[in-house]
Amino acid sequence: LAKTTQPISMDSYEGQEVNITCSHNNIATNDYITWYQQFPSQGPRFIIQGYKTKVTNEVASLFIPADRKSSTLSLPRVSLSDTAVYYCLVGPPGYSNASKIIFGSGTRLSIQP
Amino acid sequence: DADVTQTPRNRITKTGKRIMLECSQTKGHDRMYWYRQDPGLGLRLIYYSFDVKDINKGEISDGYSVSRQAQAKFSLSLESAIPNQTALYFCATSNVGNQPQHFGDGTRLSIL
């Protein structure tokens, strides 16, 4: 199973760009990389998903190098409301074999004024 | 996500009791999942179901059972609760294809 490793915590300031890296050395050929955000007392919420190179949506970008052994979630110009735990998830497309879904332990991001 | 509703939101019970956690969804998704979250360990998959007649074990199914009563309902049971099953439990749904999962707001379960 593709284990994921993330930094336990990160601190930044409002207006800064934040990059959170996830390591997944044993990622399978058909695995996708998905990032979720979780606030206290809430379930995780989808942020972005990708397979290779770069993906961008209205809230974040995801950078995946050619070897796909890591990925970086980039949050542009963070605000206090971005304080949350961020999870990196590696798994097959469409969760076709859900038993192979692996959530990382999460990165606790704290944004200061 | 209000489209995925978990009940109860909080439960305190005693060792040996049978517990049922319920999940219902209005998203029309075929796929449903149960996860457990412990501090510092992220989420771990307990069971999942891709349709009403399909039940599959996840990473940590021992001590748990599930029932998929309908497309919209997926319940998790602890037949004889033990203290190390104290955790935050999440239900999630997803559509077919490469679609993200949608999570409920969790059930906080404490077993004394």
Side-chain angles (χ1 to χ4, degrees):
Chain A
L1 298 179
K3 178 180 163 71
T4 61
T5 304
Q6 304 173 232
I8 294 174
S9 63
M10 295 181 66
D11 297 307
S12 189
Y13 295 92
E14 283 191 293
Q16 299 295 305
E17 178 183 80
V18 171
N19 296 309
I20 306 174
T21 296
C22 179
S23 173
H24 29 79
N25 291 318
N26 296 322
I27 189 169
T29 302
N30 62 344
D31 280 346
Y32 276 69
I33 301 151
T34 311
W35 285 80
Y36 287 84
Q37 175 192 55
Q38 186 179 26
F39 298 111
S41 301
Q42 294 185 22
R45 186 176 66 178
F46 170 80
I47 302 175
I48 196 166
Q49 182 180 73
Y51 181 79
K52 62 180 180 180
T53 63
K54 177 183 175 182
V55 180
T56 297
N57 63 21
E58 63 275 9
V59 298
S61 294
L62 178 59
F63 298 92
I64 305 169
D67 66 8
R68 305 200 329 120
K69 293 182 183 298
S70 66
S71 58
T72 299
L73 174 71
S74 181
L75 304 173
R77 296 179 298 281
V78 293
S79 64
L80 296 177
S81 63
D82 292 315
T83 294
V85 179
Y86 292 81
Y87 291 98
C88 167
L89 169 69
V90 172
Y95 307 106
S96 56
N97 186 346
S99 64
K100 295 188 181 298
I101 296 172
I102 300 293
F103 266 90
S105 56
T107 297
R108 188 172 299 277
L109 176 64
S110 179
I111 306 300
Q112 306 296 323
Chain B
D1 191 325
D3 297 324
V4 182
T5 303
Q6 293 185 234
T7 55
R9 290 297 312 278
N10 293 279
R11 179 77 185 269
I12 300 174
T13 191
K14 296 181 179 179
T15 299
K17 294 291 188 180
R18 184 179 188 274
I19 308 297
M20 179 180 286
L21 309 183
E22 299 187 349
C23 177
S24 63
Q25 52 117 345
T26 59
K27 301 191 75 69
H29 290 168
D30 285 327
R31 301 179 173 190
M32 299 187 73
Y33 313 78
W34 275 105
Y35 288 90
R36 166 179 173 159
Q37 185 173 37
D38 296 279
L41 293 180
L43 281 78
R44 291 182 291 169
L45 184 65
I46 306 173
Y47 271 96
Y48 63 101
S49 168
F50 280 179
D51 64 42
V52 174
K53 298 180 180 179
D54 177 71
I55 300 290
N56 303 282
K57 293 183 178 180
E59 180 187 355
I60 53 164
S61 59
D62 288 347
Y64 302 94
S65 63
V66 292
S67 174
R68 184 80 184 268
Q69 300 95 323
Q71 186 208 35
K73 295 184 182 298
F74 193 35
S75 61
L76 176 72
S77 294
L78 290 67
E79 296 301 326
S80 179
I82 56 177
N84 73 3
Q85 291 177 311
T86 292
L88 189 55
Y89 290 84
F90 287 102
C91 173
T93 73
S94 71
N95 213 340
V96 297
N98 202 20
Q99 300 299 314
Q101 296 182 330
H102 298 261
F103 287 81
D105 284 336
T107 293
R108 188 170 298 278
L109 178 62
S110 296
I111 300 164
L112 307 178

